[in-house]
Amino acid sequence: LPEVMPLLPFAKIKQRVPTDDYTAHTTRREIGKNTVDNIKKTSVGLRGTSFHFFLATLNVLFARLLNVESICIGMGDANRKQRRFANTIGYFVNVVPVQVAVAQEDTFANVYQKTSKKALLALSNSSVPSSVIVDTLKIQRASSHTPIFQVGMNYRVGEITKMSVADFELDYDQSVMGNPPYDISFHITPTESGTCILEVTCRDYLYTREAAESILDMYADLIDSFSSNTLLPARIPISPSPTVDETKLSIRRGPRLD
C-alpha cells in the first residue's frame, strides 16, 4: 500500500493536523497550442494519450520534489462507460488511485509507458468506489489526511469550453471547484482553440498562494520540456523557489555607534 505522501518542502506547516477547514485557493495557467500539439504527437509516438502525458508528468514532478520513487495519485473518472448511462443525470464520478514507480534510471518515456499501463488497468476497475477499496484493504482512516492518496488529478475529456444548450451557445470561462479534501488537486482542461488550461488547487492551511504558483510553474516547465524531448531523465532533483515566512519578519533597533 502507498505511504502517506510527505508534505512538500515549502509547506506552511511541518505535518498535517486534523481540521474541518477545507478552504482552498486555485491558480491558473494556459499552455499554448504548439505545446499541446507536441504533447499529442509525443503521446501518439508512445502509444498513449494526452491524459497519460499529463499524469506521467505529474508523477515526475512529485518524484523530483519529494525525492521518492513512488507516489499514488487519485484520478477523476466520470464513470459513464456504459452507453445506457450516457444521458442519465446524476453523480457517477469516482476517484481511482494510480501508483507509479519513478526509478532513478528512468527517462520520461519510461515513466510515460508505466503510467499509461497503470492508468488503463486502474480505469478498467473504476466502477469500484474508492471507499470500498479502503474498507476491503482495511486502510486506517485519519482526520488529518485522505486515505490512499493526497493528490488528485481531473482531466476533462472532450470539448467543454464551447457547448450548445437548446438554441444557446455557451463559452466556458472558468469553473468554481468544490473544495477538495486532498492536499493538492490538478485540473486540466483542453480548449476549443487548441490550448490547454492548467489549474492547481491547494488547501489554505497547507500551502500559500505563492506556493501554488510555484507548483504550477514547475509543472508547466516539465510539460514544456517533456513535450519536446521524452528521453530526458525523470529523477533530476528540483530546487523549489524559497518562500518568505512573513510572520518571522520584524524591525528592531540596532546598536548605537558613536
Side-chain angles (χ1 to χ4, degrees):
L1 292 174
E3 295 184 0
V4 177
M5 187 189 83
L7 292 175
L8 296 178
F10 40 77
K12 293 165 70 173
I13 57 179
K14 296 299 182 183
Q15 61 182 15
R16 300 173 184 86
V17 296
T19 177
D20 56 3
D21 181 6
Y22 293 99
T23 307
H25 50 265
T26 299
T27 187
R28 169 174 166 158
R29 294 276 187 286
E30 188 168 2
I31 59 176
K33 185 178 184 303
N34 288 340
T35 300
V36 173
D37 288 343
N38 286 339
I39 290 170
K40 292 177 181 177
K41 292 176 183 176
T42 294
S43 299
V44 169
L46 293 173
R47 299 188 176 185
T49 67
S50 297
F51 164 67
H52 298 146
F53 180 95
F54 286 107
L55 183 57
T57 305
L58 199 55
N59 275 302
V60 171
L61 173 66
F62 282 98
R64 289 187 177 192
L65 281 173
L66 296 170
N67 193 26
V68 295
E69 281 207 359
S70 180
I71 180 173
C72 190
I73 296 173
M75 57 180 185
D77 178 47
N79 214 6
R80 291 177 181 267
K81 293 182 288 295
Q82 298 184 41
R83 185 179 297 274
R84 61 196 177 100
F85 294 135
N87 296 316
T88 304
I89 296 175
Y91 190 76
F92 288 78
V93 174
N94 190 21
V95 184
V96 183
V98 181
Q99 186 175 15
V100 177
V102 182
Q104 290 286 352
E105 66 276 9
D106 275 343
T107 63
F108 175 73
N110 299 141
V111 178
Y112 181 103
Q113 289 166 339
K114 288 191 284 188
T115 300
S116 176
K117 291 177 182 177
K118 286 288 187 75
L120 290 172
L121 180 61
L123 288 172
S124 69
N125 295 289
S126 63
S127 59
V128 180
S130 55
S131 59
V132 172
I133 297 175
V134 173
D135 292 338
T136 302
L137 297 179
K138 295 181 172 56
I139 298 173
Q140 186 174 3
R141 288 177 167 84
S143 56
S144 58
H145 60 270
T146 50
I148 307 181
F149 49 84
Q150 291 75 49
V151 172
M153 175 180 168
N154 179 28
Y155 182 84
R156 297 181 172 96
V157 179
E159 176 54 53
I160 73 162
T161 58
K162 185 175 285 293
M163 295 174 283
S164 298
V165 178
D167 296 329
F168 299 95
E169 292 290 331
L170 301 180
D171 293 319
Y172 174 87
D173 180 35
Q174 63 181 348
S175 304
V176 178
M177 308 294 176
N179 291 339
Y182 320 117
D183 295 356
I184 309 172
S185 300
F186 292 77
H187 310 275
I188 295 96
T189 308
T191 71
E192 184 195 32
S193 62
T195 64
C196 190
I197 298 169
L198 304 179
E199 294 170 301
V200 172
T201 300
C202 295
R203 292 184 65 180
D204 275 346
Y205 98 99
L206 290 177
Y207 297 102
T208 63
R209 188 170 295 276
E210 291 73 23
E213 294 276 352
S214 181
I215 293 168
L216 188 51
D217 285 342
M218 288 183 282
Y219 187 42
D221 286 345
L222 287 178
I223 287 169
D224 186 58
S225 297
F226 293 145
S227 67
S228 300
N229 185 356
T230 61
L231 297 180
L232 291 172
R235 290 290 299 277
I236 297 175
I238 291 180
S239 297
S241 302
T243 56
V244 177
D245 185 352
E246 296 182 358
T247 63
K248 295 182 180 178
L249 297 179
S250 63
I251 299 175
R252 299 187 182 186
R253 184 184 299 275
R256 179 184 293 276
L257 299 176
D258 296 327

